[in-house]
Amino acid sequence: MSRSTPASSPRPSRPASRWPRLWGPSLGLLLAFLVALFLYRVWVVQFSGISLFFDEAQYWDWAQDLSWGYYSKPPMIAGLIWLSTQLFGNGVLGVKLLVMLLYPLASLAMVGFARALWPTSSGVRTGVVAAALFATIPTVGLMGLFASTDAPLILCWTLAGWMLWRAQVTDRLRYWVALGVVCGLGLMSKYTMAAFAVTAVWALWGIHGPRRGLFRIGPWLTIAIALALLAPNLWWNAHNGFPTLQHTAELTTQSTRRGGFEPALVFALGQILMLGPVAVLAGGWLRRRRGQPQATDSQMVSVPASQWAPTSIMDGTRPSVMPDEVATPRKVAARNSPYYLASESSFRFLWALSLPLQLIAVVQAFHADAHVNWAAPSMVGFCMLIAARLSPPLLRLADPRPNGWLVAVLLSNIVLTSAVLHLRDIVGPTLPSKLDVLVRMRGWDTAFQQLTPAIQDPTTTGLPVLTDQRLLITHAAYHWREHGVRTLYWNPQGTRNNHYEITHSLPDQMGADVMLVTSQREPTHITSRFATSRLMASTRVPVGPDRSVELHAYFLRGFLGYGERNDDAQTAPR
């Protein structure tokens, strides 16, 4: 009689890797909110009567001759504007549209970033709140109207923070590779991305993971990939005398602007305004009331294990202590547990993502003043820190949250930004120009349209347009783009201090005829260097009670060179 072998009992399987679901009603509401804000900003651009800002006109001009680098910036912004105009045309909105879209994308990236920091269903909700907050802060509300280098920089900064966290807590190569890619793209957008290295160095030792420090392949792979992506720009700089690096160094160390305690204080206050005063107040008040999340027994057991992603936080290994497995009140979560990472390291990491860049900018402001947008990427970490107070990631979904504060923060930011943008519509044309944030984009299209007959005159048709300001050469190139004008820059000293002095300087050769566009009514320093000059047209477009766009077009014949004008040169009567 044969003896049957008893079936061996199946071994318990490890739980599958599980992440909290991203899609849900909250994310749907966020998407609708972001679409509404984006359409509002499109409407402002389309119907506020603004043209391009000086920087945008310059970037558009760069996009007509794509290169691996430009005098003051890496090439990313020119490439984005080139693609945007290919898709949407060369109108004002067409130039801006693709870059404007990067801000909603950065908001959405914050949802995934938050889920990585706090792998609970509540953590996803925190990410949704952070995304909504970021989309409404005055920094984004104002910068979101422009095609600037800050848009790709902020997106890359957000993705880099996300990938750095995942790389450190898992030590998987795919995250180190992704980190290298976004850091390289960030550097190709703006050299400010280099400040992210401070955060990265801290994270290599400050965030617990399978391994820490530099003695592993991951961090070096990140550096190699980032440098490989930056290499074309470095090569361009090397072949052009390193103008971008020199410009960046001069901007930060040799600025002619006045520094000191007052500029540093003004910069710090500006950061509060750009983040939103009510948002800062809410974050401080709720942090003081609730305190920093600690690894206490009550908080641990308040988060059910069903909310966590137990097998995907630490490279597939189950943590030794989960929030609902605490046996004694004094037992602290293990340093490699999801709870420890979410309750301790995540908050420290967000501070490390924001404070170094802020401190660098404050030091710069003290040294030689600083623009308020120079620390814009730090707003990503600040928004997530405030969102963690408005919607705590380590509470049950059903637990009460300070929703009143959340509504107050979002509404106050929207109202503040809208009031700033529409103050001229509210007050009227008597609004002082210094209070109109859009004033420097008004009037240019009208002014160049009124001067158009001057370049269509049979005498001047086809002549290159000479200007004596970067502001004018960029606007002339953009607003007369349909006429295919060639632009030249007045450079009597032969300096190489900007893109146009390097690439568009009027050659010091006698005999050239040009059309001069200048804001000066009597530009004798230029007209005296030509055999004859004749005023073709003038225009003055008021854009405020104390500001106007004034332009004059001259026909100049017979360039005598940058030297002193000959005595027998005659000037035609004007």
Side-chain angles (χ1 to χ4, degrees):
M1 186 174 175
S2 63
R3 189 174 177 181
S4 61
T5 304
S8 60
S9 58
R11 295 177 62 183
S13 60
R14 292 171 64 181
S17 177
R18 170 168 37 87
W19 280 95
R21 188 178 61 170
L22 277 175
W23 181 256
S26 296
L27 189 60
L29 287 175
L30 173 65
L31 287 172
F33 183 67
L34 294 178
V35 169
L37 280 178
F38 182 74
L39 292 177
Y40 162 70
R41 286 163 187 158
V42 168
W43 177 83
V44 171
V45 171
Q46 195 77 342
F47 297 103
S48 61
I50 63 173
S51 181
L52 296 183
F53 186 58
F54 156 65
D55 286 342
E56 294 176 301
Q58 178 176 240
Y59 301 151
W60 175 88
D61 196 24
W62 291 355
Q64 310 313 301
D65 183 20
L66 292 178
S67 177
W68 284 115
Y70 302 92
Y71 175 81
S72 59
K73 296 291 187 297
M76 180 66 74
I77 186 63
L80 287 171
I81 290 179
W82 177 86
L83 181 58
S84 186
T85 54
Q86 294 297 309
L87 294 173
F88 309 113
N90 283 293
V92 172
L93 185 59
V95 173
K96 297 171 178 280
L97 197 56
L98 188 60
V99 183
M100 291 171 61
L101 278 169
L102 299 184
Y103 288 103
L105 290 179
S107 295
L108 290 175
M110 293 176 72
V111 181
F113 189 6
R115 186 177 70 159
L117 293 173
W118 305 293
T120 67
S121 301
S122 292
V124 174
R125 180 178 291 182
T126 302
V128 170
V129 172
L133 174 60
F134 177 76
T136 63
I137 60 174
T139 301
V140 175
L142 298 177
M143 290 168 48
L145 298 176
F146 306 109
S148 72
T149 54
D150 291 301
L153 171 66
I154 289 174
L155 176 59
C156 289
W157 191 278
T158 306
L159 294 173
W162 181 1
M163 292 302 104
L164 176 59
W165 174 266
R166 292 293 293 144
Q168 178 60 20
V169 301
T170 67
D171 202 32
R172 293 176 180 172
L173 287 183
R174 67 172 180 262
Y175 294 117
W176 292 113
V177 169
L179 177 60
V181 170
V182 294
C183 286
L185 294 177
L187 288 169
M188 290 290 273
S189 302
K190 196 173 184 178
Y191 289 161
T192 304
M193 189 72 201
F196 186 82
V198 180
T199 300
V201 169
W202 176 88
L204 294 179
W205 284 270
I207 300 174
H208 192 84
R211 298 180 65 187
R212 288 192 282 186
L214 283 170
F215 294 102
R216 46 183 165 152
I217 190 173
W220 295 104
L221 183 60
T222 293
I223 294 172
I225 293 173
L227 290 178
L229 290 174
L230 184 62
N233 180 249
L234 295 178
W235 178 87
W236 179 91
N237 270 277
H239 282 73
N240 290 275
F242 292 97
T244 315
L245 297 177
Q246 180 182 352
H247 168 78
T248 303
E250 290 176 351
L251 194 64
T252 55
T253 63
Q254 301 177 18
S255 174
T256 58
R257 296 188 302 272
R258 181 178 60 88
F261 287 105
E262 182 178 347
L265 179 61
V266 170
F267 177 84
L269 293 176
Q271 299 306 293
I272 296 176
L273 289 176
M274 296 304 283
L275 187 56
V278 178
V280 175
L281 176 63
W285 175 263
L286 293 174
R287 186 184 190 283
R288 182 179 181 183
R289 192 181 71 178
R290 294 171 178 262
Q292 183 79 10
Q294 301 293 327
T296 62
D297 176 60
S298 61
Q299 287 177 317
M300 282 181 163
V301 299
S302 69
V303 185
S306 61
Q307 286 200 41
W308 292 83
T311 62
S312 55
I313 301 301
M314 295 298 297
D315 198 19
T317 59
R318 193 173 192 277
S320 58
V321 178
M322 288 294 291
D324 53 349
E325 295 176 346
V326 180
T328 63
R330 295 185 179 276
K331 189 172 183 179
V332 178
R335 288 177 62 85
N336 67 338
S337 72
Y339 187 83
Y340 181 86
L341 289 170
S343 64
E344 298 291 338
S345 290
S346 60
F347 287 90
R348 295 171 185 168
F349 178 62
L350 291 175
W351 283 112
L353 191 65
S354 301
L355 283 183
L357 184 57
Q358 280 285 326
L359 292 176
I360 292 171
V362 169
V363 171
Q364 168 62 25
F366 179 81
H367 173 69
D369 205 356
H371 294 296
V372 73
N373 68 307
W374 284 4
S378 65
M379 298 298 164
V380 173
F382 288 145
C383 284
M384 296 188 72
L385 285 167
I386 295 173
R389 302 300 168 186
L390 296 171
S391 181
L394 302 181
L395 296 180
R396 298 176 187 270
L397 284 173
D399 287 344
R401 287 171 167 78
N403 293 326
W405 273 111
L406 174 59
V407 173
V409 167
L410 296 182
L411 283 180
S412 64
N413 279 347
I414 292 173
V415 170
L416 176 60
T417 305
S418 299
V420 170
L421 290 175
H422 299 289
L423 192 59
R424 190 171 187 267
D425 299 325
I426 297 171
V427 176
T430 59
L431 178 72
S433 298
K434 64 180 181 180
L435 300 179
D436 184 3
V437 297
L438 303 178
V439 70
R440 289 192 288 176
M441 289 161 284
R442 302 188 190 277
W444 292 104
D445 51 348
T446 302
F448 277 94
Q449 184 179 6
Q450 292 178 358
L451 288 185
T452 298
I455 65 170
Q456 294 177 327
D457 187 280
T459 306
T460 59
T461 299
L463 290 182
V465 173
L466 175 68
T467 65
D468 56 347
Q469 299 178 47
R470 284 191 302 146
L471 174 69
L472 297 183
I473 195 172
T474 57
H475 279 297
Y478 176 73
H479 290 287
W480 283 340
R481 62 190 180 277
E482 295 181 356
H483 302 280
V485 298
R486 176 190 172 205
T487 54
L488 294 173
Y489 194 77
W490 181 254
N491 187 15
Q493 304 302 321
T495 54
R496 297 170 60 87
N497 295 327
N498 62 61
H499 172 76
Y500 295 100
E501 287 185 350
I502 295 174
T503 61
H504 288 64
S505 288
L506 173 66
D508 192 7
Q509 299 174 359
M510 299 179 62
D513 298 342
V514 298
M515 167 69 73
L516 171 67
V517 175
T518 179
S519 60
Q520 300 184 42
R521 182 64 179 82
E522 297 287 343
T524 54
H525 65 294
I526 298 178
T527 57
S528 63
R529 306 292 174 86
F530 287 80
T532 63
S533 67
R534 177 159 59 95
L535 178 64
M536 299 291 293
S538 294
T539 183
R540 185 175 183 275
V541 181
V543 293
D546 52 357
R547 186 185 180 98
S548 62
V549 175
E550 182 175 355
L551 298 177
H552 307 280
Y554 286 85
F555 168 49
L556 304 182
R557 169 170 289 174
F559 184 42
L560 305 175
Y562 286 120
E564 292 296 328
R565 177 178 175 270
N566 292 340
D567 293 336
D568 57 350
Q570 298 180 1
T571 300
R574 300 187 178 105

